[in-house]
Amino acid sequence: HLNTENFELIGYRGIYIQMLSMKWTMFGMFGTTLSVDEFGDAELSDLTFQGALGFDRRLDSGWTIGLGFVVAQVTGQTELFPLLHIAKETEKISFEFLGLESSLWYKFSKIARLGLQFEVSGNQYNFASINNNKDETTPFHDKNGNIIKDDVDIALAHSQVTLGPALAASLSKYFNMKLEGGIVTGRRFEFFKLGDDKTLRWGAGDAVPVEAYGQKQDFHLKTGIY
């Protein structure tokens, strides 16, 4: 069933910031993403949603401290995370930690900055070509080979950790450019069953997905550079 090497993604994310007072700020985010193996087989049920809400307080020391929550597919599956926001900016240096990403920037000219970035990112890719195609079913077997369910919706959980330097330039009021690189590690590619998030394992012989039998597929992904 898994005869594709390519996955497709299109999405939108909007951010809202509201000043409540000189010291308090409310921020929110809402987005939706279509992440599938084939756009042509996708349905509305394949859409995933992201959202966040939090409140910041600016301290007299110049630091900003905030708390909130975020719902997203950062780990490759939809999860709810607490959101911690810490930030400070001076004339030359800016630091920000927000959720699962962090950045430190040094402004060495009027238009250019040099930085260091850390981010945990990921996404959930539904197998639309199987899940929404009634002519193709993915049976779910027990360890004895008996079918538990005729058709199972499956997805691929992808996540990774990136760390490295970056160079950013503000070329005009409306145009910014950023070049980044570094290492990518902690990569996750794991098939799971939608609904109860059970990891799929592949049995011997016919290589059918089973709940707790056979060997978990290991891609042996190593740390690389980007």
Side-chain angles (χ1 to χ4, degrees):
H1 295 291
L2 309 179
N3 55 6
T4 180
E5 295 181 355
N6 303 308
F7 294 87
E8 302 166 339
L9 178 153
I10 186 172
Y12 171 81
R13 182 176 298 176
I15 298 175
Y16 177 76
I17 300 175
Q18 176 67 52
M19 297 290 297
L20 302 177
S21 68
M22 293 298 293
K23 291 191 176 290
W24 285 95
T25 303
M26 181 181 71
F27 62 90
M29 180 274 290
F30 177 80
T32 181
T33 303
L34 181 63
S35 310
V36 293
D37 60 334
E38 292 289 346
F39 276 150
D41 296 313
E43 296 182 353
L44 287 178
S45 59
D46 293 310
L47 286 171
T48 57
F49 297 91
Q50 305 87 42
L53 179 66
F55 295 88
D56 281 341
R57 177 174 173 81
R58 183 174 177 83
L59 306 179
D60 294 335
S61 62
W63 286 90
T64 296
I65 304 294
L67 291 173
F69 69 90
V70 59
V71 178
Q73 295 77 36
V74 179
T75 64
Q77 296 171 248
T78 301
E79 295 189 51
L80 174 67
F81 298 95
L83 189 65
L84 174 64
H85 185 209
I86 304 174
K88 185 173 184 178
E89 185 171 359
T90 65
E91 184 178 353
K92 289 287 187 181
I93 297 177
S94 63
F95 168 79
E96 184 173 34
F97 176 86
L98 179 60
L100 297 176
E101 57 185 272
S102 180
S103 63
L104 176 65
W105 292 94
Y106 171 71
K107 187 175 182 179
F108 62 88
S109 74
K110 291 183 179 181
I111 65 169
R113 298 177 299 157
L114 183 65
L116 180 66
Q117 298 182 133
F118 168 85
E119 182 180 12
V120 179
S121 60
N123 203 22
Q124 171 184 308
Y125 294 91
N126 290 353
F127 280 85
S129 61
I130 298 176
N131 300 345
N132 304 325
N133 190 339
K134 302 310 178 184
D135 294 329
E136 293 186 50
T137 61
T138 301
F140 200 55
H141 294 68
D142 62 18
K143 64 180 181 180
N144 297 317
N146 301 314
I147 294 179
I148 301 174
K149 187 178 179 182
D150 288 334
D151 56 339
V152 175
D153 290 342
I154 62 173
L156 173 65
H158 163 250
S159 64
Q160 62 186 22
V161 179
T162 55
L163 172 66
L167 178 65
S170 299
L171 304 181
S172 71
K173 183 179 180 180
Y174 301 104
F175 186 75
N176 297 317
M177 182 175 66
K178 183 169 70 171
L179 177 66
E180 58 183 61
I183 63 171
V184 55
T185 187
R187 291 184 291 174
R188 175 192 180 196
F189 283 80
E190 186 174 311
F191 299 103
F192 68 97
K193 182 167 69 123
L194 289 175
D196 57 12
D197 295 341
K198 290 183 178 179
T199 299
L200 295 180
R201 298 174 181 270
W202 305 97
D206 295 334
V208 293
V210 297
E211 180 175 336
Y213 173 71
Q215 295 297 317
K216 180 179 176 181
Q217 195 162 19
D218 190 352
F219 292 91
H220 302 288
L221 300 173
K222 299 179 180 179
T223 298
I225 61 173
Y226 72 98

mmCIF file of all heavy atoms in Angstrom, residues 10 16 30 38 40 57 66 72 81 100 102 104 112 114 123 150 193-194 203 214-215 220 223 226:
data_model
loop_
_atom_site.group_PDB
_atom_site.id
_atom_site.type_symbol
_atom_site.label_atom_id
_atom_site.label_comp_id
_atom_site.label_asym_id
_atom_site.label_seq_id
_atom_site.Cartn_x
_atom_site.Cartn_y
_atom_site.Cartn_z
ATOM 1 N N ILE A 10 0.059 21.948 2.037
ATOM 2 C CA ILE A 10 -0.323 23.331 1.808
ATOM 3 C C ILE A 10 -1.105 23.786 3.036
ATOM 4 O O ILE A 10 -1.900 23.017 3.596
ATOM 5 C CB ILE A 10 -1.162 23.495 0.518
ATOM 6 C CG1 ILE A 10 -1.415 24.966 0.234
ATOM 7 C CG2 ILE A 10 -2.464 22.713 0.587
ATOM 8 C CD1 ILE A 10 -2.059 25.217 -1.117
ATOM 9 N N TYR A 16 -2.472 36.743 15.679
ATOM 10 C CA TYR A 16 -3.171 37.929 16.177
ATOM 11 C C TYR A 16 -2.511 38.386 17.468
ATOM 12 O O TYR A 16 -2.264 37.591 18.381
ATOM 13 C CB TYR A 16 -4.644 37.606 16.433
ATOM 14 C CG TYR A 16 -5.427 38.755 17.016
ATOM 15 C CD1 TYR A 16 -5.830 39.821 16.212
ATOM 16 C CD2 TYR A 16 -5.751 38.782 18.370
ATOM 17 C CE1 TYR A 16 -6.542 40.878 16.744
ATOM 18 C CE2 TYR A 16 -6.475 39.830 18.910
ATOM 19 C CZ TYR A 16 -6.872 40.881 18.097
ATOM 20 O OH TYR A 16 -7.574 41.929 18.632
ATOM 21 N N PHE A 30 -4.057 30.781 14.690
ATOM 22 C CA PHE A 30 -4.946 29.745 14.168
ATOM 23 C C PHE A 30 -4.500 29.403 12.757
ATOM 24 O O PHE A 30 -4.167 30.293 11.963
ATOM 25 C CB PHE A 30 -6.405 30.194 14.150
ATOM 26 C CG PHE A 30 -7.325 29.170 13.549
ATOM 27 C CD1 PHE A 30 -7.756 28.094 14.313
ATOM 28 C CD2 PHE A 30 -7.732 29.261 12.230
ATOM 29 C CE1 PHE A 30 -8.581 27.128 13.770
ATOM 30 C CE2 PHE A 30 -8.567 28.301 11.678
ATOM 31 C CZ PHE A 30 -8.989 27.227 12.454
ATOM 32 N N GLU A 38 -1.215 12.298 -1.534
ATOM 33 C CA GLU A 38 -1.703 12.663 -2.860
ATOM 34 C C GLU A 38 -2.811 13.697 -2.716
ATOM 35 O O GLU A 38 -3.864 13.412 -2.140
ATOM 36 C CB GLU A 38 -2.250 11.424 -3.597
ATOM 37 C CG GLU A 38 -1.198 10.393 -3.988
ATOM 38 C CD GLU A 38 -0.292 10.878 -5.109
ATOM 39 O OE1 GLU A 38 -0.638 11.892 -5.760
ATOM 40 O OE2 GLU A 38 0.767 10.242 -5.317
ATOM 41 N N GLY A 40 -4.738 14.772 -4.999
ATOM 42 C CA GLY A 40 -5.883 14.368 -5.797
ATOM 43 C C GLY A 40 -6.849 13.460 -5.068
ATOM 44 O O GLY A 40 -8.029 13.377 -5.437
ATOM 45 N N ARG A 57 3.576 39.396 29.659
ATOM 46 C CA ARG A 57 3.731 40.550 30.550
ATOM 47 C C ARG A 57 5.148 41.091 30.391
ATOM 48 O O ARG A 57 6.121 40.334 30.482
ATOM 49 C CB ARG A 57 3.480 40.181 32.014
ATOM 50 C CG ARG A 57 3.716 41.366 32.957
ATOM 51 C CD ARG A 57 3.335 41.047 34.395
ATOM 52 N NE ARG A 57 3.715 42.127 35.298
ATOM 53 C CZ ARG A 57 3.022 43.237 35.493
ATOM 54 N NH1 ARG A 57 1.877 43.419 34.816
ATOM 55 N NH2 ARG A 57 3.430 44.159 36.344
ATOM 56 N N GLY A 66 5.722 35.110 29.139
ATOM 57 C CA GLY A 66 4.366 34.757 28.761
ATOM 58 C C GLY A 66 4.058 33.290 28.958
ATOM 59 O O GLY A 66 4.955 32.439 28.961
ATOM 60 N N ALA A 72 -0.989 21.594 18.035
ATOM 61 C CA ALA A 72 -0.315 21.510 16.735
ATOM 62 C C ALA A 72 0.218 20.104 16.515
ATOM 63 O O ALA A 72 0.151 19.250 17.401
ATOM 64 C CB ALA A 72 0.819 22.533 16.651
ATOM 65 N N PHE A 81 0.179 21.341 23.928
ATOM 66 C CA PHE A 81 1.402 21.647 24.648
ATOM 67 C C PHE A 81 1.230 22.919 25.482
ATOM 68 O O PHE A 81 0.555 23.856 25.032
ATOM 69 C CB PHE A 81 2.575 21.903 23.679
ATOM 70 C CG PHE A 81 2.936 20.738 22.814
ATOM 71 C CD1 PHE A 81 2.423 20.632 21.536
ATOM 72 C CD2 PHE A 81 3.806 19.757 23.266
ATOM 73 C CE1 PHE A 81 2.753 19.574 20.717
ATOM 74 C CE2 PHE A 81 4.145 18.692 22.463
ATOM 75 C CZ PHE A 81 3.622 18.596 21.185
ATOM 76 N N LEU A 100 8.574 25.388 21.311
ATOM 77 C CA LEU A 100 9.634 24.444 20.979
ATOM 78 C C LEU A 100 10.649 25.049 20.013
ATOM 79 O O LEU A 100 11.287 24.324 19.248
ATOM 80 C CB LEU A 100 9.032 23.175 20.377
ATOM 81 C CG LEU A 100 8.120 22.383 21.313
ATOM 82 C CD1 LEU A 100 7.493 21.203 20.580
ATOM 83 C CD2 LEU A 100 8.872 21.897 22.534
ATOM 84 N N SER A 102 13.662 28.486 19.563
ATOM 85 C CA SER A 102 14.388 29.556 20.225
ATOM 86 C C SER A 102 15.347 30.201 19.234
ATOM 87 O O SER A 102 15.837 29.546 18.302
ATOM 88 C CB SER A 102 15.169 29.005 21.429
ATOM 89 O OG SER A 102 15.872 30.042 22.080
ATOM 90 N N LEU A 104 18.547 33.494 18.925
ATOM 91 C CA LEU A 104 19.396 34.544 19.471
ATOM 92 C C LEU A 104 20.018 35.297 18.300
ATOM 93 O O LEU A 104 20.677 34.679 17.451
ATOM 94 C CB LEU A 104 20.483 33.950 20.369
ATOM 95 C CG LEU A 104 21.505 34.941 20.947
ATOM 96 C CD1 LEU A 104 20.819 35.914 21.905
ATOM 97 C CD2 LEU A 104 22.624 34.189 21.659
ATOM 98 N N ALA A 112 21.437 44.064 8.654
ATOM 99 C CA ALA A 112 21.789 42.642 8.741
ATOM 100 C C ALA A 112 21.937 42.173 10.180
ATOM 101 O O ALA A 112 22.391 42.917 11.051
ATOM 102 C CB ALA A 112 23.063 42.353 7.965
ATOM 103 N N LEU A 114 23.031 38.445 12.541
ATOM 104 C CA LEU A 114 23.582 37.099 12.608
ATOM 105 C C LEU A 114 22.966 36.401 13.802
ATOM 106 O O LEU A 114 22.907 36.968 14.903
ATOM 107 C CB LEU A 114 25.104 37.139 12.740
ATOM 108 C CG LEU A 114 25.825 35.785 12.744
ATOM 109 C CD1 LEU A 114 25.648 35.088 11.403
ATOM 110 C CD2 LEU A 114 27.306 35.980 13.054
ATOM 111 N N ASN A 123 5.103 17.309 11.308
ATOM 112 C CA ASN A 123 3.784 17.357 10.698
ATOM 113 C C ASN A 123 3.198 15.945 10.605
ATOM 114 O O ASN A 123 3.926 14.955 10.687
ATOM 115 C CB ASN A 123 3.849 17.974 9.303
ATOM 116 C CG ASN A 123 2.513 18.552 8.889
ATOM 117 O OD1 ASN A 123 1.674 18.866 9.724
ATOM 118 N ND2 ASN A 123 2.304 18.671 7.597
ATOM 119 N N ASP A 150 -11.460 -4.141 8.684
ATOM 120 C CA ASP A 150 -11.219 -4.257 7.245
ATOM 121 C C ASP A 150 -10.425 -3.082 6.686
ATOM 122 O O ASP A 150 -9.538 -3.248 5.865
ATOM 123 C CB ASP A 150 -12.552 -4.379 6.494
ATOM 124 C CG ASP A 150 -13.185 -5.740 6.718
ATOM 125 O OD1 ASP A 150 -12.429 -6.692 6.985
ATOM 126 O OD2 ASP A 150 -14.416 -5.839 6.655
ATOM 127 N N LYS A 193 -1.941 4.476 13.470
ATOM 128 C CA LYS A 193 -3.356 4.325 13.138
ATOM 129 C C LYS A 193 -4.131 5.521 13.676
ATOM 130 O O LYS A 193 -4.099 5.814 14.868
ATOM 131 C CB LYS A 193 -3.893 3.024 13.744
ATOM 132 C CG LYS A 193 -5.364 2.738 13.421
ATOM 133 C CD LYS A 193 -5.731 1.309 13.771
ATOM 134 C CE LYS A 193 -5.734 1.083 15.263
ATOM 135 N NZ LYS A 193 -7.015 0.579 15.773
ATOM 136 N N LEU A 194 -4.817 6.235 12.783
ATOM 137 C CA LEU A 194 -5.597 7.392 13.200
ATOM 138 C C LEU A 194 -6.728 6.970 14.126
ATOM 139 O O LEU A 194 -7.319 5.914 13.967
ATOM 140 C CB LEU A 194 -6.176 8.107 11.984
ATOM 141 C CG LEU A 194 -5.175 8.867 11.099
ATOM 142 C CD1 LEU A 194 -5.877 9.413 9.861
ATOM 143 C CD2 LEU A 194 -4.527 9.997 11.866
ATOM 144 N N GLY A 203 4.083 -7.108 9.993
ATOM 145 C CA GLY A 203 4.260 -8.529 10.233
ATOM 146 C C GLY A 203 5.061 -9.195 9.128
ATOM 147 O O GLY A 203 5.346 -8.612 8.092
ATOM 148 N N GLY A 214 5.393 -8.344 15.070
ATOM 149 C CA GLY A 214 6.359 -8.054 14.020
ATOM 150 C C GLY A 214 7.338 -6.971 14.433
ATOM 151 O O GLY A 214 7.463 -6.610 15.599
ATOM 152 N N GLN A 215 8.041 -6.437 13.455
ATOM 153 C CA GLN A 215 9.084 -5.464 13.709
ATOM 154 C C GLN A 215 8.625 -4.063 13.327
ATOM 155 O O GLN A 215 8.063 -3.841 12.263
ATOM 156 C CB GLN A 215 10.342 -5.812 12.900
ATOM 157 C CG GLN A 215 10.973 -7.119 13.313
ATOM 158 C CD GLN A 215 11.474 -7.093 14.738
ATOM 159 O OE1 GLN A 215 12.081 -6.109 15.155
ATOM 160 N NE2 GLN A 215 11.225 -8.149 15.482
ATOM 161 N N HIS A 220 16.510 4.099 10.182
ATOM 162 C CA HIS A 220 17.923 4.321 10.504
ATOM 163 C C HIS A 220 18.370 5.713 10.091
ATOM 164 O O HIS A 220 19.417 5.899 9.435
ATOM 165 C CB HIS A 220 18.813 3.254 9.839
ATOM 166 C CG HIS A 220 18.455 1.854 10.223
ATOM 167 N ND1 HIS A 220 18.720 1.342 11.479
ATOM 168 C CD2 HIS A 220 17.827 0.859 9.521
ATOM 169 C CE1 HIS A 220 18.280 0.099 11.537
ATOM 170 N NE2 HIS A 220 17.752 -0.221 10.384
ATOM 171 N N THR A 223 21.964 11.806 12.017
ATOM 172 C CA THR A 223 22.119 13.252 12.053
ATOM 173 C C THR A 223 22.761 13.727 10.754
ATOM 174 O O THR A 223 23.716 13.129 10.256
ATOM 175 C CB THR A 223 22.992 13.673 13.251
ATOM 176 O OG1 THR A 223 22.330 13.280 14.458
ATOM 177 C CG2 THR A 223 23.237 15.169 13.258
ATOM 178 N N TYR A 226 22.054 20.684 6.904
ATOM 179 C CA TYR A 226 21.139 21.306 5.935
ATOM 180 C C TYR A 226 21.598 22.729 5.671
ATOM 181 O O TYR A 226 22.373 23.273 6.433
ATOM 182 C CB TYR A 226 19.697 21.283 6.444
ATOM 183 C CG TYR A 226 19.426 22.233 7.582
ATOM 184 C CD1 TYR A 226 18.840 23.490 7.358
ATOM 185 C CD2 TYR A 226 19.752 21.891 8.892
ATOM 186 C CE1 TYR A 226 18.589 24.358 8.400
ATOM 187 C CE2 TYR A 226 19.513 22.762 9.939
ATOM 188 C CZ TYR A 226 18.922 23.997 9.694
ATOM 189 O OH TYR A 226 18.685 24.852 10.721
#
